[in-house]
Amino acid sequence: MTQGGAARRTVLGAAVLAAGSQLTGLGAGPAAAAGPAGGAAEAGGHGGGHGGGGYRQLPVPTVIGHRGASGYRPEHTIEAYRLALDLGADVVEQDLVPTRDGHLVCRHENEIGGTTDVADHPEFASRRTTKSVDGVSMTGWFTEDFTLAELKTLRAKERIPAVRQRNTLYDGRWTVPTFEEVLRWADQEGRRRGRRIWLHAETKHPSYFRSLGLGLEEPLARLLRRYGRDRRDSAVFLQSFEPSSIQRLSRLVASPRVVLLSAADTRPWDFEQAGDPRTVADLVKPEGLAWIAGFAQGIGPTLDLVIPRDSAGRLGTPTTLVRDAHDRGLVLHPYTARNENAFLPADFRKGTDPAAYGDAFAAYRTYFEQGIDGIFTDNPDTGALAAEAFRAARGR
């Protein structure tokens, strides 16, 4: 933490007003131990990938802008990423999917009917189709059916307008960014802000895309090497819901890696494909966490794996996941904190309007008290202020 509490609050307050006016880790796995050969030189000074300390140097709790500042701008746009930094995020997240010609672009899903204006383009009407992605039937338009040039004719829009109606003001303003554009942007922002810009990049549906001949890990590794983010102290986390994707990445680059974990009764799709009977409930047991620690430095569990909710949506008794993960050298970056009642545990809701804000600060404090290392949030300003208050209360 480079700024004192009062200074940080002043900066955050100014950023919020500006936004409103526009409306030392475990070296697991062979790659981490030795590092791949031929790592690129640091790119872009402060924006580059290494040379400024590893992920253990990040403030705790770390505030991760979930798809940018997606509580205020359409997600996975450069402006959402930039605003996340302005509002105090320590790290900014990207979800990666491929185009037909092999470029990695930033979208929550490969189905883009809900996040772009593709439905308004008659030239692409015939591309609408139904596919099975990780065993789920989906109808719409898919990035793997478009070239990058075609995708660049589309514009991003708000994904959940019923909850975030104000975000629709920005529909149509920005294009779909490639991950390479994000890497260049992060280098530029790093030089401008005088600090490294941390990213949190997810491989989406990696087994599905590999079956199409569009494997994600190799092109991602090439980009990381090109932009100097391929080393264990690089300012990037690599994450996936499929452990085999993280294992593959561990053989390609030494960048810090995180295994994402969904609901306890689910199985990673690569486990389904391989006939591995383990569920997430098995992976959060001590032996499962020890296995993950063999090729990753952290886990990204759903918040319900830290504190379960009962049938009424209220918080129950915390699990031992934080302690068990820390015992095995793993950091925890749970997901996702949001301000709206619709997403908060019932304990913190205010009123009956699902789009209204509840007591998000109390929710953050409750999760921070469990000892998590960071948190994904759609509202980086709320997360940053909550983290600042928590650190101040703990005398950090």
Side-chain angles (χ1 to χ4, degrees):
M1 192 82 187
T2 56
Q3 291 181 300
R8 173 104 174 209
R9 284 189 288 273
T10 299
V11 171
L12 288 173
V16 172
L17 288 173
S21 71
Q22 298 176 48
L23 200 340
T24 320
L26 174 69
E42 181 173 357
H46 286 290
H50 59 276
Y55 63 92
R56 295 287 187 181
Q57 302 304 310
L58 285 166
V60 176
T62 303
V63 176
I64 306 163
H66 185 234
R67 308 171 196 161
S70 50
Y72 311 112
R73 297 291 187 273
E75 62 194 31
H76 288 314
T77 57
I78 292 294
E79 289 306 314
Y81 300 150
R82 180 178 290 113
L83 183 59
L85 296 178
D86 290 343
L87 296 181
D90 303 301
V91 184
V92 183
E93 185 201 28
Q94 297 77 42
D95 295 329
L96 305 181
V97 294
T99 64
R100 188 173 69 196
D101 46 351
H103 294 275
L104 298 181
V105 296
C106 302
R107 288 290 87 190
H108 169 51
E109 287 288 346
N110 52 324
E111 198 291 299
I112 55 173
T115 61
T116 73
D117 62 357
V118 63
D120 299 329
H121 287 251
E123 67 272 27
F124 299 135
S126 63
R127 307 274 180 97
R128 190 173 187 269
T129 187
T130 299
K131 299 188 179 192
S132 178
V133 181
D134 294 1
V136 177
S137 179
M138 305 172 69
T139 299
W141 291 263
F142 297 83
T143 59
E144 64 267 27
D145 296 331
F146 290 77
T147 66
L148 178 59
E150 290 172 331
L151 271 184
K152 282 296 187 179
T153 68
L154 308 180
R155 294 296 181 270
K157 70 176 186 179
E158 172 56 35
R159 183 175 61 87
I160 45 175
V163 178
R164 296 174 178 154
Q165 198 231 339
R166 290 182 177 179
N167 284 14
T168 63
L169 173 66
Y170 304 100
D171 286 356
R173 295 189 64 86
W174 301 301
T175 61
V176 174
T178 67
F179 188 53
E180 184 162 20
E181 288 170 339
V182 172
L183 290 167
R184 289 199 298 265
W185 165 82
D187 283 353
Q188 293 165 0
E189 286 294 307
R191 290 190 292 271
R192 187 170 73 86
R193 297 171 189 262
R195 65 179 178 88
R196 296 197 303 167
I197 304 302
W198 278 80
L199 306 176
H200 218 305
E202 178 184 350
T203 57
K204 299 287 288 194
H205 312 298
S207 292
Y208 167 80
F209 285 120
R210 187 163 292 278
S211 73
L212 301 179
L214 291 170
L216 302 175
E217 294 85 4
E218 290 79 9
L220 174 55
R222 286 194 294 271
L223 286 172
L224 294 171
R225 287 192 289 268
R226 185 179 305 163
Y227 287 86
R229 291 178 183 260
D230 59 318
R231 304 184 183 186
R232 63 184 140 189
D233 64 344
S234 293
V236 63
F237 293 96
L238 307 178
Q239 55 176 340
S240 183
F241 282 100
E242 295 189 23
S244 63
S245 181
I246 297 302
Q247 290 175 314
R248 186 181 294 270
L249 283 166
S250 76
R251 295 189 290 269
L252 296 170
V253 293
S255 314
R257 299 171 299 279
V258 172
V259 173
L260 298 171
L261 300 169
S262 189
D265 61 351
T266 63
R267 293 169 67 196
W269 183 247
D270 55 341
F271 284 18
E272 295 272 2
Q273 296 282 283
D276 189 326
R278 289 177 296 173
T279 65
V280 168
D282 296 308
L283 295 181
V284 297
K285 293 176 181 177
E287 55 269 30
L289 294 168
W291 177 73
I292 290 173
F295 55 89
Q297 287 68 48
I299 58 172
T302 173
L303 285 166
D304 290 348
L305 291 174
V306 177
I307 310 179
R309 302 190 200 189
D310 63 20
S311 58
R314 301 185 68 84
L315 293 180
T317 303
T319 69
T320 62
L321 178 58
V322 176
R323 182 190 68 203
D324 293 342
H326 284 167
D327 284 347
R328 282 142 193 89
L330 297 167
V331 297
L332 292 90
H333 291 168
Y335 65 92
T336 303
R338 298 175 168 106
N339 287 355
E340 294 89 359
N341 281 327
F343 305 112
L344 285 167
D347 317 59
F348 309 115
R349 296 171 193 161
K350 291 184 177 181
T352 58
D353 180 358
Y357 282 5
D359 190 357
F361 287 110
Y364 279 104
R365 183 171 61 251
T366 300
Y367 290 116
F368 290 161
E369 286 171 347
Q370 305 310 308
I372 61 176
D373 301 282
I375 196 165
F376 286 86
T377 174
D378 288 3
N379 307 92
D381 52 342
T382 311
L385 288 169
E388 182 71 37
F390 182 78
R391 287 190 287 266
R394 293 294 190 274
R396 296 180 182 176

